[in-house]
Amino acid sequence: GQDLTFQGMQAQANAARSAGLLGAAGSIGAAAALCWVAREVYGIENPKWLQFRYWMLNDAESWFRSLYIKYGERIAKFISNKPRIKSIIRKWMNTKIK
């Protein structure tokens, strides 16, 4: 349990550093606060959720960002046991990250 948690945190930190997303200590916790759907779709151990977060905060249309922030947590809970829906969303998210 703790090993997986540590590995997930390590993967997040490595991905954030390589993508230039960490501005200060504690940014991983702040990143997780807004990325419910991306973390649900990719898994917390996959750094792609951080790449999607970067796109959403910096490049997404403001209407999308607002909807994601407002409804993202509820949507993540809804899709948590729906692998087909997660697969569709993941394919779309992949088109937004570099």
Side-chain angles (χ1 to χ4, degrees):
Q2 287 181 336
D3 287 340
L4 288 176
T5 301
F6 177 76
Q7 288 172 355
M9 291 172 60
Q10 188 67 35
Q12 291 173 28
N14 291 340
R17 267 193 301 279
S18 68
L21 297 177
L22 277 182
S27 292
I28 291 174
L34 291 177
C35 288
W36 311 279
V37 178
R39 282 183 292 133
E40 183 62 43
V41 165
Y42 288 114
I44 196 153
E45 69 284 348
N46 187 331
K48 287 186 176 184
W49 76 266
L50 286 167
Q51 293 172 331
F52 183 81
R53 177 187 181 270
Y54 181 86
W55 172 83
M56 190 260 305
L57 292 175
N58 295 289
D59 299 323
E61 297 287 333
S62 60
W63 65 265
F64 177 81
R65 186 173 27 264
S66 295
L67 289 174
Y68 191 93
I69 291 168
K70 185 172 183 177
Y71 298 108
E73 189 170 12
R74 286 183 249 177
I75 291 169
K77 287 177 185 177
F78 175 76
I79 67 171
S80 67
N81 63 349
K82 297 170 178 63
R84 287 185 186 178
I85 294 175
K86 286 199 275 191
S87 176
I88 292 166
I89 294 170
R90 186 179 313 109
K91 286 177 186 174
W92 178 81
M93 285 182 166
N94 285 339
T95 68
K96 303 302 176 192
I97 61 177
K98 297 172 173 79

